[in-house]
Amino acid sequence: MTVFETVRLSAAEAAEDDLPELLDVYLSNPAYLELTEGSGGVPGAYDRGMLERDLAMSALTPGRHTAVLRLHDGGHCVGVLDWMDENPSDGAPWLGLIMIHAGHQHRGLGAEAVAGLAEHGRAAGWKRLREGVIAGNDAGMALARAAGMREVERRPHRIAAGDRELAVMELEL
Ligand SMILES: CC(C)(COP(=O)(O)OP(=O)(O)OC[C@H]1O[C@@H](n2cnc3c(N)ncnc32)[C@H](O)[C@@H]1OP(=O)(O)O)[C@@H](O)C(=O)NCCC(=O)NCCS
C-alpha cells in the first residue's frame, strides 16, 4: 500500500515480495551495517533472516512503518524508510532509518524521501519529526541538516559497534 509519493519516489509498506531488493539496499551499505548490525560476533553481518525479523518486529509495533522506496521511473527499489507515528518515549514521530542503495546515493533521493515523509506527517497533523543520528555518521548528519533538522539533544547510545553518542535531530513541521 502506497503511503506517500514525491516527484521521483513512491513509499509503500514493505511486503514479503520486496525482501530480495531490500536486502540488496542494506548490503550495499556495509559501513553503516558495521556500525549498527552484527550477528554471532561478526560486526556488520546482516542477512535475509535478520531482515525478515526486523520487518516482522516493525509490523508488530503499533504505529511503526517500514516502507520500500521505488522510483516512479522503472519501479526500481532504491531505498528503505522506517518511522514511528508516535514514539512511546516522548510522544513524537520519529524517523528510524533512511537508507539509499549505494548505487543511487548523492542524487538527492534521501533528502526527497525525508521531505516526503515530513509532508505526509504535516498532512496527518504532526507538529515535529525527530531522528537519532549516530555521532560520526557524516552522511546521516548531512542529510538531517539538509532536511532542515537541528540538534536538540545529545545522549550516550549503545550500538553494535560499541558505545557512541546519539544526536537527537528535530524538524518543526
Ligand atoms: C544517509 C543517506 C540516506 C543519504 O542518501 P543520499 O540519497 O545519498 O542523500 P542526498 O543525495 O539526498 O544528500 C542529502 C545531503 O547529504 C549530503 N551527503 C550525502 N552523502 C554524504 C556523505 N557521504 N558525506 C557527507 N555529506 C553527504 C549531500 O551533499 C546533501 O547535502 P546538501 O543538500 O547540502 O548538498 C545514505 O548515505 C545512506 O543510505 N547511508 C547509509 C544509511 C545511513 O547512514 N542512514 C542515515 C541514518 S541516520
Side-chain angles (χ1 to χ4, degrees), residues 32 52 67 72 98 104 136 142 149 158:
Y32 185 75
E52 278 174 354
H72 295 309
I98 166 78
H104 292 271
M149 293 183 166
R158 172 158 291 188

Side-chain angles (χ1 to χ4, degrees), residues 95-108:
L95 169 57
L97 176 67
I98 166 78
M99 187 185 277
I100 300 293
H101 191 290
H104 292 271
Q105 288 177 6
H106 303 288
R107 291 172 50 197

